[in-house]
Amino acid sequence: MLDEVAAAFDRQDYPTASRLLKELLKQSPENPWVQLYAARLQEVSGKLDPAEEIYRQLLRNATNPKLAAQARQGIQRVESSQRELRRQAIEQATADPGNSEPGFLVLESVTGENRAIAIQNFSRIMKLDAYTGRLLLPNRGWRLYRTGTLGELQVYGQMLCDAGVPAFWASLAQLQKLQVFRVSHLKSLVPKATVVCRNERDQLGSLTFDWSEVSHWVEGMVPVFERVVTLGYRDRLERREETQDYDHLCDLHLPGRQCILRLHDSHYAFHSGVPVVPPPATPGKVERSTNRTNWNHLMELLQRQLSHAAHWSDFTPFAETAADFAIPLRQITHHIHVFRQSDSYWDAAFQLYSGLIFLRGSRADDRSPVIGDRG
C-alpha cells in the first residue's frame, strides 16, 4: 500500500493519499515510512509546524539513509515555505504606512510547567537551538528581544503569541507621545496631591491630582559612571569608566492625563513642600540625613498613598537585556538628567521600560496591534 501512497503523491492526488494513509496509520502507526508520508500530507495541507515536527523526529531516529534524506528534504521544503509566508506577511504588514515606523519587541517571562513548551516553540519560530532559546526566554521580568519596523515586529510577535510565548510590541511614536513631568517636590498630599514640576520645555509649574488617578508606579536605578585612572599590566596607566553610584528614579503613571510624573533623587528638593526628611529621634539633636535615606522616606510616603496601584521594580534585568540595542535606544527621548560625562543607554532603557508599562496598562482592554496581545 505504501507504493500506492507514493504514486498518489507523485500525481498530486492528495484525497487518495489521505484515504490510504488513514488505513496505514491504523495498521502500522510506528512505521517510519508511514510517518514520513503523513508529514508530507501535513505539509501539502499547509500545516507546516506539525509536518516539521514529524520530519525532525524521523531525522533524529532514522537508520535508513534514504528515509533520512527524504526527512531532511522535507525540513528544507518546510523552512523555505515558512520563510516565504513570513516574507509575505511582513510585506503586507509594512505596506501600511503606520507600520513602517520603528518599534520594539519584548518577551515576557515564562515559568513553571509551561516553560519547556514555550522554549520549544520560541526556538522553532526564531530558528534557534534549544540551549539558546532557553537563555533568551526570560524566567523573570521582561527582555527587549528585537527592534525594527513595527510591521515586522508585529508579524514575529503575533507568531510567538499564537504559539503560547508571551510577547508584545510597541511603536516608538506611541512612546514619544507620553508627556513626562520632572517633579521638583510634593507641595501637598491631601485632600489631593499637588506636585511642583517641570515640563519637557523646562518650564516650572504645578499639577494637582487624586491619588486614585495613579495606575502604576515604577522604580528603577540608573548607574552613574566616572572616568578613573588605574594601574594596569606592568603598572601602566589605564583610563576606563567605572560605576561610582546609582541614581534612583520613580515614575507615577496618570493614564487619564496621558502623562508620567518622574521623581529623581538627584533633583528632588527634599527640604521643600511636604516634609520628607524625618525629625531627629532625640529632641534637640541634629542628625545627619543623606540623599539615600531621604529618598527611602519619600518612597515609604508614596507607598502609603499608592497601595491601590501596581508596583513595578524589575527594571535592572530588563535594562541588562537592552545592552545590545544601545544604538536604537538613542531614538528615545528619555527626559533623565544624570550627572555623568557621557550619555548611557540605561536612561533610555528606563524611559522604554516605564513607557511600555504605561501603554500596556492603559490599553489592557485594547486589541490594537500597536501594543500586542499577551500569549
Side-chain angles (χ1 to χ4, degrees):
M1 191 179 291
L2 278 173
D3 292 338
E4 296 179 39
V5 173
F9 273 105
D10 288 341
R11 62 177 184 270
Q12 298 184 355
D13 184 0
Y14 302 127
T16 299
S18 176
R19 177 176 55 80
L20 294 172
L21 275 172
K22 286 181 181 178
E23 298 180 26
L24 285 172
L25 286 170
K26 291 178 182 179
Q27 298 171 9
S28 308
E30 302 300 324
N31 187 316
W33 287 101
V34 174
Q35 294 177 18
L36 178 73
Y37 286 117
R40 285 278 304 275
L41 188 62
Q42 296 271 37
E43 179 188 345
V44 298
S45 301
K47 300 175 182 178
L48 300 179
D49 291 342
E52 182 181 13
E53 185 176 347
I54 298 173
Y55 284 138
R56 291 192 181 280
Q57 185 176 0
L58 287 170
L59 187 59
R60 284 193 296 268
N61 302 328
T63 56
N64 185 312
K66 184 177 180 181
L67 179 69
Q70 292 202 31
R72 190 175 293 108
Q73 291 171 7
I75 293 172
Q76 293 171 351
R77 288 195 306 271
V78 168
E79 289 181 340
S80 178
S81 298
Q82 289 172 333
R83 284 194 299 269
E84 179 59 23
L85 289 173
R86 188 176 302 177
R87 185 195 65 78
Q88 293 176 2
I90 292 173
E91 188 177 273
Q92 182 177 358
T94 53
D96 182 349
N99 286 340
S100 60
E101 62 191 40
F104 304 89
L105 176 63
V106 177
L107 301 176
E108 297 184 76
S109 61
V110 183
T111 57
E113 59 185 14
N114 295 328
R115 182 167 173 79
I117 298 176
I119 290 172
Q120 181 180 354
N121 290 337
F122 172 60
S123 302
R124 172 178 53 79
I125 292 171
M126 305 310 300
K127 302 303 177 186
L128 304 169
D129 60 86
Y131 177 77
T132 303
R134 186 179 299 108
L135 290 178
L136 291 177
L137 191 63
N139 55 18
R140 175 194 170 192
W142 294 348
R143 168 182 285 275
L144 178 56
Y145 178 62
R146 200 171 185 132
T147 63
T149 60
L150 186 63
E152 179 182 3
L153 300 180
Q154 180 180 335
V155 170
Y156 283 109
Q158 194 60 62
M159 290 173 65
L160 292 171
C161 290
D162 292 342
V165 181
F168 64 93
W169 54 98
S171 70
L172 175 65
Q174 287 294 110
L175 292 163
Q176 300 285 54
K177 286 180 182 178
L178 299 177
Q179 295 185 78
V180 178
F181 296 103
R182 294 176 284 119
V183 175
S184 169
H185 60 273
L186 279 164
K187 188 176 181 181
S188 65
L189 284 178
V190 291
K192 294 185 177 183
T194 299
V195 295
V196 176
C197 55
R198 294 185 180 275
N199 64 13
E200 297 171 3
R201 294 184 295 276
D202 207 35
Q203 298 170 325
L204 190 65
S206 64
L207 189 150
T208 300
F209 61 94
D210 285 318
W211 288 107
S212 61
E213 293 183 57
V214 180
S215 60
H216 301 78
W217 61 301
V218 183
E219 287 189 83
M221 298 185 301
V222 295
V224 179
F225 305 106
E226 288 188 9
R227 292 182 180 176
V228 298
V229 179
T230 60
L231 289 177
Y233 179 66
R234 293 185 177 180
D235 293 335
R236 292 178 179 175
L237 294 180
E238 294 182 353
R239 291 174 174 81
R240 61 184 181 185
E241 285 190 340
E242 287 188 354
T243 301
Q244 300 296 311
D245 200 357
Y246 290 89
D247 274 17
H248 290 242
L249 302 165
C250 179
D251 280 4
L252 308 182
H253 292 178
L254 278 66
R257 304 179 187 228
Q258 284 294 294
C259 74
I260 294 174
L261 302 180
R262 176 160 298 156
L263 293 80
H264 186 166
D265 66 344
S266 293
H267 300 283
Y268 191 90
F270 289 104
H271 295 278
S272 301
V274 174
V276 173
V277 180
T282 304
K285 181 180 178 181
V286 177
E287 295 186 355
R288 180 173 176 269
S289 64
T290 65
N291 200 58
R292 188 59 43 81
T293 58
N294 292 340
W295 178 261
N296 291 339
H297 287 297
L298 176 59
M299 292 300 101
E300 291 172 4
L301 182 151
L302 290 178
Q303 189 173 14
R304 290 194 292 270
Q305 302 295 330
L306 297 173
S307 58
H308 65 281
H311 182 217
W312 292 73
S313 58
D314 279 342
F315 165 65
T316 298
F318 174 81
E320 289 170 348
T321 70
D324 294 333
F325 302 95
I327 293 178
L329 287 175
R330 291 176 186 171
Q331 302 175 86
I332 298 176
T333 306
H334 53 72
H335 313 286
I336 297 173
H337 304 286
V338 177
F339 299 114
R340 53 167 104 87
Q341 292 179 322
S342 58
D343 289 335
S344 168
Y345 76 88
W346 281 78
D347 302 340
F350 183 80
Q351 177 70 23
L352 175 61
Y353 180 69
S354 183
L356 291 171
I357 293 169
F358 189 105
L359 293 174
R360 284 190 68 76
S362 62
R363 293 175 175 268
D365 298 319
D366 188 1
R367 298 298 174 181
S368 167
V370 174
I371 292 292
D373 301 331
R374 293 177 183 266

